[in-house]
Amino acid sequence: QVQLVESGGGTVQTGASLRLSCAASGAAASGDSFGRLKMGWFRQAPGKEREFVAAMVWDGSTYSDSVRGRFTISKDNAEKSVYLQMDSLKPEDTAVYYCAADTRTSLLAHSREDYEYWGQGIQVIVSS
């Protein structure tokens, strides 16, 4: 089991930056296990499907085309946390952002089905 809690959302203007945090807890995130988790960020805008944003495993990361070069995913194994640094924000980045984790494989993945555990989501609003 993994529990995920996001923080750091809010309302910003176009071009600003935000850093989302996701704290993990639970048996599957204890000790050295967190370092082996596949972690991801997804987002869901009003009226749209939840979409992939970024993911990270121990030896690599991947991003959606829409955020590559602007967003950076990182982990702190000691803090059992994953972060999403979002720079040069645009109005189209407005969404509820979700942290996700998977214990089954260490392969980078973009699909919702490839993640077992989800946070409750946090709102990000980018005003024009």
Side-chain angles (χ1 to χ4, degrees):
Q1 286 273 341
V2 180
Q3 291 80 45
L4 302 169
V5 179
E6 301 98 337
S7 61
T11 301
V12 297
Q13 293 188 329
T14 298
S17 297
L18 270 179
R19 187 193 195 211
L20 302 183
S21 300
C22 173
S25 61
S30 62
D32 295 333
S33 298
F34 179 77
R36 295 190 291 272
L37 291 179
K38 177 171 66 191
M39 302 297 298
W41 287 97
F42 287 72
R43 67 187 182 186
Q44 188 166 15
K48 295 188 176 182
E49 295 285 321
R50 192 173 300 186
E51 66 173 4
F52 171 78
V53 174
M56 186 172 193
V57 294
W58 70 274
D59 63 347
S61 58
T62 185
Y63 299 88
S64 68
D65 290 342
S66 62
V67 308
R68 187 176 294 110
R70 298 188 298 122
F71 290 11
T72 304
I73 188 171
S74 62
K75 285 175 71 178
D76 185 328
N77 291 335
E79 294 294 324
K80 301 192 189 304
S81 294
V82 63
Y83 307 99
L84 186 67
Q85 177 67 40
M86 305 185 294
D87 298 321
S88 303
L89 282 162
K90 305 175 181 179
E92 50 264 45
D93 294 318
T94 295
V96 176
Y97 283 72
Y98 296 89
C99 177
D102 187 74
T103 65
R104 298 166 295 184
T105 79
S106 60
L107 298 176
L108 289 168
H110 293 207
S111 297
R112 294 170 55 182
E113 294 74 21
D114 293 313
Y115 294 84
E116 297 173 278
Y117 302 102
W118 294 84
Q120 80 286 355
I122 192 160
Q123 180 73 58
V124 172
I125 298 173
V126 184
S127 61
S128 57

